[in-house]
Amino acid sequence: MTASSESASSESASFESASFETTSFEEQYFSGAALYGDDFDAARIAGWYGVEARDPAEEFAHTAPDRPGYRYEYHALNHRHAFRFLAGRRFRQALAFGCAAGDDVAPIAGQVDRFLAVEPIERFWKTDIAGTPVEYRRPTLGGRIDCADGANDLTVCLHTLHHIPNAGALLAEFARVTAPGGLFILREPISTMGDWRRPRRGLTANERGFPVQWLEERIARLGFTVRQRRFCSFPLTERLGRLMGVPLPYGNPLLVRLDEAACALTRWNIAYHRDSLRKKFAPGAVYYVLERDAVTTPPARP
């Protein structure tokens, strides 16, 4: 290498280092270039949960299954975008991650021989989900799932991953514990959900959604093939439900179809950080139905 090329290389390295150091929080995380929390070490992960769970009774009261009058609100949405694609299949074991009392997976219980549930709130634990035996286990701080490689023919994680800082590590765990040819159903928000550095009404302290590109890069890297990708949760759907006198709009098949149509028309407008009114008119979440590729070794954790 010549002196001039060494100098150019040194200048390039210095420029890249300086660029990284001067990248603002907004440029790094609100742009979707990186996922906030995914590179946290053990101490910062513990700190995340220390804030996230400061008062779970208050923060999750409106969705807690033991609340009087509670009804699970997403049955029609789950069927339309995910569960109907499971028709005709039987699953020896299904992993239900963050399933609370299992209301989300109860409609598919008849297709499952046994559930393995990972849920941190022990008062939700039970012995069966809609008549199918279930064994509950606690999640671990680092994301490791207490389960053998390839033990599940079906893995389901609905609207839970965005509460977890090291989401990439958990996605790798889902790949590890899902059998080759098995299915993985994921539903997550696809925006920042606002600036999580400030209090947000109706949200816990740290939760944030995922950039679509970030999700799909990791899905491919971990050995999943996308069988279905379906956008949902248009911002006016819940308001329309209230106007129609429907308290649970995502439990109503007609409103779910209308939501689907609105999302199809506005998917071109998807942005990760929605800091203007125009950006808000877009799907708020995505479902994936993924198939685990045939592999001989488990995927490496990211």
Side-chain angles (χ1 to χ4, degrees):
M1 178 182 293
T2 65
S4 61
S5 62
E6 288 178 355
S7 174
S9 177
S10 175
E11 289 175 3
S12 176
S14 298
F15 176 76
E16 290 174 0
S17 175
S19 297
F20 179 79
E21 291 172 0
T22 58
T23 298
S24 69
F25 185 96
E26 290 79 5
E27 290 171 330
Q28 186 172 6
Y29 296 117
F30 289 174
S31 69
L35 180 69
Y36 181 69
D38 195 48
D39 60 350
F40 279 11
D41 60 18
R44 296 187 73 189
I45 291 172
W48 169 295
Y49 288 123
V51 174
E52 190 84 5
R54 62 189 162 188
D55 190 356
E58 177 182 343
E59 291 184 342
F60 294 100
H62 69 294
T63 57
D66 53 3
R67 179 175 61 85
Y70 166 82
R71 286 188 294 160
Y72 181 75
E73 57 187 301
Y74 297 107
H75 282 314
L77 193 71
N78 290 341
H79 174 77
R80 178 66 188 167
H81 294 299
F83 290 162
R84 67 189 177 103
F85 301 112
L86 306 182
R89 295 193 60 156
R90 185 82 195 170
F91 305 99
R92 291 169 300 166
Q93 178 165 291
L95 171 65
F97 191 92
C99 65
D103 297 290
D104 54 353
V105 294
I108 60 169
Q111 296 173 249
V112 177
D113 294 337
R114 178 181 183 271
F115 282 110
L116 176 64
V118 177
E119 168 57 48
I121 303 177
E122 293 190 14
R123 72 174 187 271
F124 297 153
W125 293 14
K126 53 203 296 190
T127 58
D128 72 274
I129 295 174
T132 295
V134 58
E135 179 183 352
Y136 274 82
R137 296 178 185 173
R138 290 189 59 83
T140 61
L141 194 64
R144 182 78 176 179
I145 297 173
D146 182 14
C147 183
D149 294 356
N152 303 282
D153 302 313
L154 174 66
T155 295
V156 179
C157 180
L158 298 175
H159 211 64
T160 297
L161 193 63
H162 66 285
H163 288 286
I164 294 167
N166 52 332
L170 188 54
L171 283 171
E173 278 294 279
F174 291 147
R176 180 184 67 81
V177 303
T178 303
L183 299 180
F184 173 29
I185 292 175
L186 180 70
R187 171 171 62 98
E188 289 298 331
I190 52 174
S191 74
T192 59
M193 306 170 74
D195 188 343
W196 56 83
R197 295 171 297 179
R198 303 181 179 93
R200 298 164 295 170
R201 189 175 68 174
L203 300 177
T204 54
N206 291 319
E207 62 182 294
R208 77 294 185 238
F210 298 93
V212 173
Q213 183 176 354
W214 186 93
L215 277 174
E216 297 196 348
E217 286 176 353
R218 277 146 188 81
I219 285 168
R221 185 187 308 167
L222 292 168
F224 286 108
T225 297
V226 177
R227 296 304 181 197
Q228 297 287 334
R229 181 185 71 171
R230 303 177 63 86
F231 293 106
C232 64
S233 302
F234 189 69
L236 297 182
T237 299
E238 293 190 16
R239 182 172 297 183
L240 178 60
R242 289 194 294 271
L243 291 174
M244 294 173 61
V246 180
L248 302 177
Y250 293 119
N252 182 286
L254 174 60
L255 281 174
V256 165
R257 289 292 192 98
L258 292 174
D259 178 82
E260 181 181 3
C263 289
L265 291 171
T266 57
R267 55 183 293 180
W268 62 270
N269 195 38
I270 291 173
Y272 185 50
H273 189 50
R274 303 180 183 182
D275 55 355
S276 70
L277 182 61
R278 179 188 66 80
K279 291 180 181 178
K280 296 181 189 297
F281 285 87
V286 66
Y287 278 84
Y288 288 99
V289 179
L290 308 171
E291 183 173 340
R292 184 77 173 91
D293 298 342
V295 293
T296 55
T297 58
R301 291 168 67 92

